[in-house]
Amino acid sequence: MNRAAQANAPAIPAGPLRRRGLRIFNSVASALLTVLLPIPSIADGPLERLADRVPLGAPGMVVLTDVAASVTEIAPLAADFSAADRRIMAYLPLTLVGGFEPYQAWKISTEGGLTARLGFEIEEIGQIASWRGGGDAPVVITGLPGRADTIAAALQSRGFAPRMRFGTTVWHRLRDGQTDAAHAEEDPFSQRAGYPGRFVIDDSTLLFARSWTGIRRLASQPLSMRLEPDIAAILRAGYLAKDRGRLLEVILLGPQKPLNTAVSGFYGTGPAAAPKTANAIRRLQTRGDPLPPFRRHGLLLWQNGQQIAGAVAIPYETQADVQAAIGRFPALLDRTLSLYAGGFVGGVLRYQRHFSVLRAGKRWVALLAFEETGGKFSGISPMMFVTNPFGRLREMRLSGDLPVLLSGR
């Protein structure tokens, strides 16, 4: 439906009828997507189902984490830890939720856990989705059957009040945009500023956003982001690559950046940065042909015992483009300067390389994977977040090296 048609369409009344109607529409839309994007006959994975709760067109980076799988996979690697340290390890999957930091995992795990704060414990969580949402920091937590009463009681004990809005109960605290330092770091959502919160308990799923507009969008069952073919292909590729291990996390990112934009993102755009930017661009132009243009890419994490793999997944419409990407990437690794670490990017990613092409629906996916076999953790350290291949790729995204590596002309 185009925007003009949407504007003239009759409004669907708020409440359960509207949610049921949109659920039916999503089911029909998903069926049409299956026709348009034929996929191998394996069941949807947990993160694919989670993506159906993330709105189509969600802005910025979207992080999908299989917390249940992560807790299961981490446990054997921390077998020699004390009970208290194993408890902290179980909370580490929360570190990507809305800016939640590792030290907060320690704090919550040692100060009563999540039960007193949210009415459930970390081991009960299925999956978590989080994204920026224009400052709303929306979060979707699945896998909480039978927890509605305990969640409501925990929220009420912390000063959240119930209000009926758009056909459902919303637990809310503080006005939109208001902060209160007295509530700082109470849970993974309030953070250091003590942000406002709105929660909706929807069957076995908990929805969160900082504003009324944000929670309304989540609670109204928006169209699934999997209706975007590139996103569907990235997620599908994560489950098709079974030889890499169990898929634990997917970070969905945007389009390829031009080289000058990627370099400017590292140095900035002020007058003092201009000479450095120009020099870096001049040196990077000798690296050879860049990757063909793409609209979306993702970072994927798998684990199989002590084997940990991370990958960049890039969907293309044509086989020619995906083959070009696979063919050019090894040379780009060895010829692209690391603006952050010095040397070449290939020296940062010193892992076993597995570059392959997967067919996922109507997309060809370049799966640029790096793998290492580690061992049991010797202790909890910030380095455990960056030394595995996925952690390194995530660090390179933050430092600016990954956008430069993947940039166009």
Side-chain angles (χ1 to χ4, degrees):
M1 184 184 295
N2 60 36
R3 292 188 177 182
Q6 286 178 329
N8 295 322
I12 301 174
L17 177 60
R18 185 174 188 267
R19 292 200 297 274
R20 285 197 298 271
L22 286 173
R23 284 192 179 104
I24 293 170
F25 186 88
N26 270 331
S27 298
V28 173
S30 296
L32 288 173
L33 180 62
T34 302
V35 173
L36 294 173
L37 293 174
I39 58 178
S41 56
I42 61 175
D44 284 354
L47 296 185
E48 289 178 297
R49 294 191 294 272
L50 176 65
D52 288 337
R53 297 305 302 262
V54 180
L56 182 66
M61 177 180 73
V62 177
V63 180
L64 307 173
T65 306
D66 192 334
V67 176
S70 298
V71 170
T72 300
E73 291 291 339
I74 284 174
L77 301 184
D80 297 333
F81 282 21
S82 67
D85 281 353
R86 286 198 300 273
R87 185 84 177 140
I88 296 172
M89 287 289 289
Y91 274 80
L92 295 185
L94 293 180
T95 56
L96 279 176
V97 179
F100 196 60
E101 298 177 10
Y103 88 92
Q104 291 174 284
W106 172 84
K107 180 178 178 180
I108 289 181
S109 69
T110 57
E111 296 180 3
L114 286 178
T115 301
R117 295 164 169 83
L118 295 173
F120 56 85
E121 212 22 272
I122 185 71
E123 293 85 358
E124 298 176 72
I125 296 174
Q127 293 76 39
I128 297 181
S130 62
W131 62 102
R132 292 176 183 173
D136 266 325
V139 176
V140 176
I141 302 178
T142 67
L144 304 171
R147 278 302 196 179
D149 290 343
T150 58
I151 293 172
L155 293 175
Q156 188 169 29
S157 72
R158 293 171 48 211
F160 285 85
R163 181 184 297 180
M164 285 298 298
R165 294 288 297 269
F166 31 89
T168 191
T169 301
V170 180
W171 291 87
H172 68 99
R173 186 176 67 184
L174 304 179
R175 298 186 305 274
D176 284 3
Q178 181 184 5
T179 59
D180 186 342
H183 298 305
E185 300 180 1
E186 279 189 356
D187 60 25
F189 313 106
S190 56
Q191 297 186 30
R192 297 185 183 188
Y195 287 111
R198 287 87 177 89
F199 290 91
V200 167
I201 308 164
D202 183 4
D203 297 327
S204 61
T205 300
L206 183 64
L207 310 176
F208 167 84
R210 290 179 187 165
S211 74
W212 288 105
T213 300
I215 197 65
R216 179 171 187 167
R217 189 178 187 201
L218 281 182
S220 64
Q221 289 287 332
L223 295 178
S224 165
M225 72 182 311
R226 270 209 294 168
L227 292 174
E228 186 179 324
D230 287 337
I231 288 176
I234 291 170
L235 292 167
R236 180 83 312 204
Y239 287 104
L240 290 175
K242 296 179 181 179
D243 54 331
R244 300 275 75 85
R246 190 173 184 180
L247 184 65
L248 303 185
E249 190 162 284
V250 175
I251 300 179
L252 296 166
L253 300 163
Q256 183 184 54
K257 294 181 179 180
L259 177 60
N260 62 341
T261 301
V263 175
S264 296
F266 180 83
Y267 287 113
T269 57
K276 296 178 182 179
T277 299
N279 181 55
I281 290 173
R282 184 169 55 254
R283 296 175 67 189
L284 285 163
Q285 284 173 338
T286 64
R287 63 183 175 151
D289 290 333
L291 296 180
F294 53 84
R295 290 185 295 266
R296 281 276 190 178
H297 67 297
L299 303 183
L300 282 64
L301 165 67
W302 300 269
Q303 185 171 337
N304 181 16
Q306 295 182 8
Q307 177 181 297
I308 298 175
V312 180
I314 306 175
Y316 288 100
E317 291 189 26
T318 70
Q319 191 170 12
D321 278 346
V322 79
Q323 292 293 353
I326 291 291
R328 296 173 189 176
F329 194 66
L332 287 171
L333 280 173
D334 296 330
R335 296 176 185 171
T336 300
L337 294 169
S338 169
L339 303 181
Y340 179 73
F344 295 99
V345 171
V348 178
L349 292 168
R350 296 177 179 175
Y351 308 103
Q352 297 178 38
R353 300 176 180 181
H354 302 274
F355 304 157
S356 59
V357 174
L358 291 176
R359 181 66 166 166
K362 281 195 172 182
R363 294 290 186 267
W364 298 92
V365 179
L367 200 64
L368 311 169
F370 301 86
E371 183 179 281
E372 75 167 358
T373 300
K376 292 183 178 180
F377 295 124
S378 58
I380 296 177
S381 160
M383 291 307 294
M384 65 178 26
F385 296 98
V386 298
T387 55
N388 70 64
F390 178 78
R392 192 68 74 187
L393 288 169
R394 193 172 65 185
E395 179 192 47
M396 289 173 62
R397 184 194 69 81
L398 294 171
S399 72
D401 273 346
L402 188 63
V404 170
L405 174 66
L406 304 179
S407 65
R409 296 191 183 279

